[in-house]
């Protein structure tokens, strides 16, 4: 016990952040094994897990999981850091993989780490050689916020130094942990899996197209010709995210290939996620283990480590981790996508028992220092070292942490989509509601279904909700918009009765513009290939009619949609050409009509006013037009001044609007006005980096929450909907589509701002006290 005490002297508690079993993925297995190994090695230390959830309801976790985070819910990260601080945890150990955390490039995690008071040790499961800018920035900030980075390969060590400029002393190498299994004869377990007397090839792990299993299948006819007693076991369920997005497409393609190659008698599919004990038994049956991955940039592989740790002869493609682990005769490397080479090496090993057993012994011996007992001791040594270092040299906070806190200090309500669901049927989203009850009398409109599409497509990235449900809603709203498009007229219709009859052949320019706004956003955010193809085609069809639009708000809606579309397809010259025409037209309308005392393009302020400067700000940035940005900022400033009284937002009422030289209509105040101003103010902040614009956006947002003329909230926390407006005699209690979507889009805009700013804040060379 004395040797154990020195590893974790002074460490009473460790919290490990990562996925956790029974969630099915490699990170979950690793985190679970690490927590159990630390608990076994240091039984007097309190070690538990903070589990990342990729679905709102989470998983039936064991007692070792003490806290859960919805990966897309930014507020959960702050609550988690508070929970860890309150519990005075000595060490936080993060299992880092970009995809298991929310925000751009998993940047939500940075907010959690920035608010922690204890040392942080981060295990890196992915280190990219050619990272996109946001991934590079997340890794650098992760390094700033971590006291030590643990890598599981020497290649990762080198990449951190060379690509991310991480100091050598900040990096520690510790093997990927593996179970402690005996070196046994492969024939020992074969009878219980029905392969007694066979020569067994094995690949295991969650199935996905990157595994390259088709190359082994294509090699099998040559192998079985020489060794007809070969069986190839493909063990593992399809990865849950692949299953959700593509179903069993990859597994079915492999099964079809097996039939085509006439090797059904030699291939066994085991479509399940197996527990450790059974996994070790499957590994025990294998004479040869094959990892035929398709991509070089894999910095670690738990499946390879497990196979070597059980003494398997391994044949692998040359991804980074395999090249390093299988060096010096510990395994065989074959080229990528080369079934002939795979077949040749398999036959060679099956023909040569001495060679195969030599490789097995070398692999097993090399991996003895990777068994969990040894790995947990190394982790405890690192924990003790960083805690001692922190006590001797307290780390100052980086100034960008304070910037993040100052921007995200307003706590946002949780997003609820209950009322969105209530108003949506199998046709689309109904326009109106009587109180909270859908009003079928007035049917549907393109305006609302375009807005609803934006909520549905942005949801998976920024909301703690069910991706499958949002995917279904995206289908529904896209289908409505496709049906709304009149191919002969090349225009969108707007109003549809509940009996599914259009009330006009051509809708207004506004409706057409809103449709392109919503579809453009969909193109920017959609990942479903079918939906993206349809949205892109529909956007391009709809774009043909807008070149001659003259109505300012319709132009603004189109410009915002084009901006979103070009975020995905920036090289589309036709979209760029149309943007230039429309942006100049809107700009010239301002230039022609705006005066110093009335810096507006019309003589009357009416509806959705904030969308006009918003469009100028977006277009001015992309077109590098400072004059366009200037007019956008000036007109937005004027709108804010005009619509602010006593520190709260007072949108122009629709009972008379605001004519130049006349009185401002006080009521009715509409939610779309607040939404338009919020989005414009956030964009003004993006352009200027002046935080007063965030204060203005929050002021407009607070209008929904009761900081308004009547001191009454329009947001309904029970339904997640929004009441239809402020009237002189109180709140309009109906919760229609336009108001509910204005609320949801406003909340989502601030959620996105918070997520983006965590990533955007520049790193400080000089930490602040």
């Amino acid at each position: 016990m004395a040797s154990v005490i020195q590893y974790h002297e002074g460490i009473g508690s460790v919290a490990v952040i990562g996925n956790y079993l029974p969630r099915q993925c490699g990170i979950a297995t690793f985190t679970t094994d690490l927590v159990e190994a630390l608990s076994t090695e240091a039984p007097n230390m309190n070690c538990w897990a903070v589990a990342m959830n990729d679905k709102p309801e989470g998983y039936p976790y064991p007692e070792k999981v003490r806290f859960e985070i919805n990966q897309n819910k930014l507020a959960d990260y702050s609550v988690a850091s508070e929970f860890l601080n309150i519990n005075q945890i000595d060490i936080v150990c993060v299992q880092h993989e970009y995809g298991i955390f929310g925000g751009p490039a998993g940047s939500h995690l940075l907010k959690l780490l920035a608010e922690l008071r204890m040392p942080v040790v981060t295990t890196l499961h992915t280190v990219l050689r050619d990272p996109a800018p946001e991934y590079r920035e997340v890794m650098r900030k992760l390094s700033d916020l971590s006291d030590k980075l643990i890598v599981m390969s020497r290649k990762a060590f080198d990449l951190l130094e060379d690509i991310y400029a991480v100091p050598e002393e900040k990096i520690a190498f510790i093997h990927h942990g593996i179970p402690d299994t005996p070196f046994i004869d492969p024939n020992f377990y074969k009878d219980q899996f029905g392969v007694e007397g066979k020569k067994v090839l094995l690949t295991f792990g969650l199935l996905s197209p990157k595994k390259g299993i088709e190359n082994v299948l294509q090699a099998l006819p040559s192998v079985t010709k020489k060794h007809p007693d070969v069986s190839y076991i493909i063990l593992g369920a399809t990865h849950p995210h692949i299953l959700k997005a593509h179903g069993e497409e990859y597994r079915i393609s492999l099964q079809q290939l097996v039939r085509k190659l006439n090797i059904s008698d030699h291939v066994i599919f085991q479509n399940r996620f197996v527990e450790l004990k059974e996994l070790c038994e499957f590994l025990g049956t294998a004479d040869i283990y094959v990892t035929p991955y398709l991509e070089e940039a894999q910095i670690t592989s738990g499946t390879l480590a497990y196979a070597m740790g059980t003494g398997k002869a391994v044949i692998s493609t040359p991804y980074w981790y395999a090249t390093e682990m299988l060096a010096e005769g510990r395994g065989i490397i074959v080229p990528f996508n080369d079934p002939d080479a795979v077949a040749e090496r398999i036959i060679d090993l099956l023909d040569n028992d001495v060679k195969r057993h030599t490789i097995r012994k070398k692999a097993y011996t090399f991996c003895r220092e990777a068994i969990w007992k040894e790995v947990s001791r190394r982790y405890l040594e690192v924990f003790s070292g960083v805690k001692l270092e922190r006590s001797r040299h307290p780390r100052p906070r980086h100034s960008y942490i304070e910037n993040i806190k100052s921007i995200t200090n307003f706590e946002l309500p949780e997003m609820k989509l209950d009322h969105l669901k209530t108003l949506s049927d199998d046709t689309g989203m109904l326009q109106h509601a009587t109180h909270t009850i859908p009003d079928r009398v007035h049917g549907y409109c393109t305006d609302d279904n375009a807005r609803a599409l934006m909520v549905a497509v942005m949801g998976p990235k920024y909301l703690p909700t069910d991706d499958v449900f949002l995917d279904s809603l995206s289908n529904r709203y896209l289908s409505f918009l496709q049906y709304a498009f009149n191919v002969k007229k090349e225009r969108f219709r707007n109003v549809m009765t509940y009996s599914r009859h259009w009330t006009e052949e051509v809708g207004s320019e506004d409706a057409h513009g809103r449709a392109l706004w919503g579809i453009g956003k969909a193109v920017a955010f959609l990942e479903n290939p079918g939906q993206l193809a349809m949205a892109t085609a529909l956007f391009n069809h709809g774009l043909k009619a807008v070149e001659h639009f003259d109505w300012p708000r319709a132009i603004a809606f189109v410009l915002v949609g084009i901006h979103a579309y070009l975020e995905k397809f920036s090289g589309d010259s036709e979209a760029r050409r149309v943007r230039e025409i429309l942006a100049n037209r809107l700009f010239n309308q301002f230039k022609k009509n705006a005066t110093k005392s009335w810096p507006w393009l019309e003589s009357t302020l009416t509806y959705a006013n904030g969308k006009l400067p918003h469009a100028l700000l977006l277009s001015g940035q992309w077109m590098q037009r400072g004059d366009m940005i200037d007019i956008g900022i000036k007109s937005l400033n004027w709108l804010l001044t005009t619509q602010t009284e006593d520190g709260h937002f007072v949108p122009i009422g629709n009972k008379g609007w605001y004519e130049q030289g006349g009185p401002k209509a006080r009521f009715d105040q509409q939610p779309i006005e607040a939404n338009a101003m919020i989005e414009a103010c956030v964009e003004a902040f993006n352009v200027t980096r002046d935080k007063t614009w965030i204060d203005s956006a929050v002021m407009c947002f607070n209008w929904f929450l009761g900081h308004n003329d009547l001191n009454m909230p329009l947001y309904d926390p029970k339904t997640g909907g929004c009441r239809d407006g402020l009237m002189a005699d109180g709140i309009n209690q109906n919760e229609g589509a336009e108001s509910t979507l204005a609320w949801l889009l406003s909340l989502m805009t601030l959620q996105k701002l918070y997520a983006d700013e965590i990533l955007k804040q520049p790193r400080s060379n000089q930490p602040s006290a």
Side-chain angles (χ1 to χ4, degrees), residues 387-552:
K387 191 169 191 301
L388 180 61
E389 178 67 16
R390 179 70 75 93
S391 68
R392 290 174 176 172
H393 306 286
R395 294 185 64 198
R397 294 169 68 83
H398 287 263
S399 60
Y400 71 79
I401 296 170
E402 299 305 321
N403 291 338
I404 289 171
K405 291 182 72 175
S406 70
I407 290 170
T408 61
N409 62 352
F410 175 72
E411 187 172 347
L412 297 171
E414 185 171 346
M415 181 84 65
K416 285 184 70 173
L417 298 181
D418 297 18
H419 197 54
L420 177 76
K421 299 174 186 178
T422 298
L423 291 178
S424 299
D425 61 14
D426 60 352
T427 298
M429 191 171 190
L430 290 154
Q431 286 193 76
H432 296 294
T434 303
H435 295 280
T436 60
I437 302 164
D439 176 0
R440 305 185 192 281
V441 173
H442 295 94
Y444 316 84
C445 71
T446 292
D447 290 334
D448 291 333
N449 280 274
R451 295 185 188 104
L453 178 62
M454 287 191 271
V455 171
V457 299
M458 292 171 69
K461 199 161 189 176
Y462 295 102
L463 302 180
T465 191
D466 184 0
D467 288 6
V468 175
F469 172 72
L470 288 172
D471 191 67
S472 174
L473 284 182
S474 296
N475 280 336
R476 214 170 303 173
Y477 303 141
L478 264 175
S479 176
F480 184 96
L481 293 172
Q482 183 190 45
Y483 188 47
F485 188 69
N486 186 328
V487 177
K488 292 181 180 178
K489 303 286 187 181
E490 293 187 333
R491 289 286 297 274
F492 286 95
R493 294 168 284 212
N494 192 21
V495 179
M496 175 196 278
T497 66
Y498 185 65
S499 56
R500 296 184 179 178
H501 293 106
W502 294 106
T503 63
E504 80 274 271
E505 285 300 297
V506 175
S508 66
E509 287 188 3
D510 268 12
H512 195 98
R514 285 196 185 95
L516 288 181
W517 175 16
I519 297 166
K521 277 284 187 184
V523 170
F525 279 88
L526 281 171
E527 295 181 357
N528 181 310
Q531 292 174 346
L532 177 59
M534 177 178 165
T536 302
L538 190 56
F539 184 86
N540 286 312
H541 287 314
L543 197 63
K544 295 175 183 178
V546 305
E547 190 172 330
H548 302 292
F549 278 13
D550 197 54
W551 186 241

Side-chain angles (χ1 to χ4, degrees), residues 9-50:
E9 186 176 357
I11 299 177
S13 55
V14 173
V16 183
I17 301 175
N19 297 350
Y20 210 90
L21 295 176
R23 182 172 173 178
Q24 295 182 5
C25 71
I27 302 290
T29 301
F30 185 96
T31 307
T32 305
D33 290 346
L34 177 60
V35 169
E36 292 298 331
L38 290 170
S39 300
T40 300
E41 187 63 20
N44 296 326
M45 184 180 72
N46 185 14
C47 184
W48 45 270
V50 175

